[in-house]
Amino acid sequence: MDSPIAEKIEPVILHGGNLARARSLFPQAPKPWIDLSTGINPISYPHSPIPAEAYSRLPEPALAEVLRERAARAYGAPSAAYVVAAPGTQILLPLVSELAKKSAKPKAVILSPTYAEHARAARLNGFEVIETDDFATLSTADLAIVVNPNNPTGRVISKPDLLALATTLKAKGGMLIVDEAFGDAGDGYESLCGDVDQDGIVVLRSFGKFYGMAGLRLGFAVATPQIAGKLESRLGPWAISGPALHIATEALSDKHWQVDMRLHLRQKSERLDEVLYAAGLTVSGGTNLFRLVRHENAAKIFSHLGEHGILVRAFEERPQDLRFGLPGRQEEWQRLRDALKCM
């Protein structure tokens, strides 16, 4: 029998980071473009040189095991047996939701507004998808999905509330996915990576956002060894490239850089608040990697910034929302300030 993924094609979702589209919308914009649309750390991890054999040889299984051990330590998972490494968390979304499908008409409930790919992945696997801002509604699901801290609002659900939800779902054979993609950069939330022994919880962690290396395509799932084994079998061998193994193993072990970077990002996000407030914009949410602005003229602000070669994240389904990532170099901060000043 064909899988639901083979039977159904979902429409492509527009995301941040599409500079080609921005150039077509604003062909006269000054260059270089400043891309503030993704919520990715503008400062990449300063890794050591990548050895030539990382490119010339297939990745060694022993290196993949070391990566899982370092990830388990960094994220607070019980052991490496609970960690699955994948070429980006995006590829894990349909694989995890597939494991949660245990009835003919399963229901996925997603705490929204949030990252739209979760709903798309669930629909691809045949789930009826309900998006809600009411946390209590998640208890009615076969598959409940919470992004924590949330993208783009920054909303944080407490650990006790999530564990209570997981208990409710487990009692009826359901599953809770907690996407902690922005967890490394933030404070004020508690990870569930150390609690996945309570069967029916899968935690997703993104490498590229905090370490400023989204192009490396690396993410992790943290779950019981039984669930982790099923995900590993679907990914197959050599899921992680040699360069990614080298860089991520090093970065996940670098506690000093992690601590310093969290402080740096907190300071830069506060600086972004000041720039936005000075322009008369109110910050309504976010994390230390991005800020959310709600404004009745959001479309005009998006276009104004685009004409100045600055791309921010707009949302077709929520036309009043704009997400601002962090500028990197000093000249980027100045261009953003100048563009906002002349609105």
Side-chain angles (χ1 to χ4, degrees):
M1 181 181 293
D2 291 338
S3 70
I5 294 179
E7 296 170 0
K8 189 172 183 180
I9 297 176
E10 282 286 319
V12 174
I13 296 171
L14 295 177
H15 295 289
N18 193 339
L19 285 178
R21 182 170 181 269
R23 294 185 188 102
S24 68
L25 288 173
F26 307 104
Q28 304 304 317
K31 298 177 179 60
W33 273 86
I34 300 173
D35 185 5
L36 307 182
S37 68
T38 62
I40 295 168
N41 188 350
I43 302 174
S44 299
Y45 178 74
H47 59 86
S48 64
I50 300 173
E53 57 266 28
Y55 296 98
S56 61
R57 291 179 52 81
L58 286 171
E60 291 281 353
L63 297 178
E65 179 64 19
V66 171
L67 174 63
R68 288 192 294 271
E69 290 172 356
R70 302 293 171 83
R73 203 172 305 157
Y75 298 138
S79 73
Y82 291 74
V83 178
V84 179
T89 51
Q90 180 65 44
I91 202 169
L92 289 167
L93 303 187
L95 300 182
V96 175
S97 63
E98 180 187 14
L99 295 180
K101 186 179 179 182
K102 297 177 180 179
S103 66
K105 296 182 179 179
K107 179 170 69 172
V109 182
I110 302 171
L111 194 59
S112 296
T114 196
Y115 182 56
E117 291 288 346
H118 282 291
R120 188 178 77 91
R123 283 193 295 266
L124 283 170
N125 274 315
F127 283 81
E128 173 196 359
V129 174
I130 297 173
E131 300 184 62
T132 179
D133 61 0
D134 177 26
F135 182 78
T137 304
L138 273 69
S139 64
T140 67
D142 300 293
L143 172 64
I145 300 172
V146 178
V147 179
N148 202 47
N150 187 47
N151 169 27
T153 66
R155 173 200 60 225
V156 171
I157 302 299
S158 73
K159 183 174 181 177
D161 286 345
L162 289 170
L163 290 176
L165 172 61
T167 298
T168 299
L169 295 173
K170 179 183 177 181
K172 59 179 182 178
M175 178 181 287
L176 171 63
I177 297 176
V178 182
D179 184 346
E180 298 180 353
F182 290 95
D184 286 303
D187 43 22
Y189 98 106
E190 293 181 88
S191 173
L192 258 64
C193 285
D195 301 279
V196 294
D197 263 330
Q198 179 176 327
D199 194 18
I201 300 174
V202 177
V203 179
L204 302 177
R205 299 293 295 236
S206 171
F207 177 84
K209 294 177 177 61
F210 176 64
Y211 292 96
M213 306 189 78
L216 198 67
R217 305 311 304 138
L218 179 63
F220 300 91
V222 181
T224 61
Q226 180 184 18
I227 293 175
K230 291 178 180 178
L231 292 173
E232 288 276 6
S233 69
R234 283 158 172 77
L235 289 168
W238 313 302
I240 309 304
S241 71
L245 288 170
H246 173 86
I247 293 170
T249 299
E250 187 176 297
L252 290 168
S253 306
D254 195 338
K255 299 297 183 184
H256 292 297
W257 186 90
Q258 294 163 17
V259 171
D260 290 346
M261 182 51 62
R262 288 187 183 102
L263 175 60
H264 175 80
L265 292 175
R266 188 180 310 122
Q267 293 170 341
K268 295 305 180 185
S269 64
E270 291 170 355
R271 181 181 180 184
L272 180 57
D273 288 343
E274 295 172 0
V275 171
L276 295 171
Y277 285 134
L281 301 177
T282 300
V283 174
S284 60
T287 71
N288 287 339
L289 280 171
F290 60 83
R291 290 300 198 240
L292 179 68
V293 168
R294 287 198 168 122
H295 197 283
E296 60 183 3
N297 292 322
K300 291 183 179 180
I301 296 170
F302 174 83
S303 295
H304 172 82
L305 292 173
E307 290 165 356
H308 285 76
I310 301 172
L311 179 62
V312 297
R313 177 71 162 95
F315 301 86
E316 290 184 340
E317 66 278 16
R318 300 188 303 280
Q320 77 281 9
D321 287 359
L322 293 174
R323 190 183 66 194
F324 288 73
L326 299 176
R329 299 182 302 276
Q330 180 57 37
E331 54 265 32
E332 294 180 352
W333 284 96
Q334 190 60 50
R335 278 181 61 187
L336 176 63
R337 188 178 289 107
D338 291 346
L340 290 171
K341 191 181 298 183
C342 67
M343 283 197 305

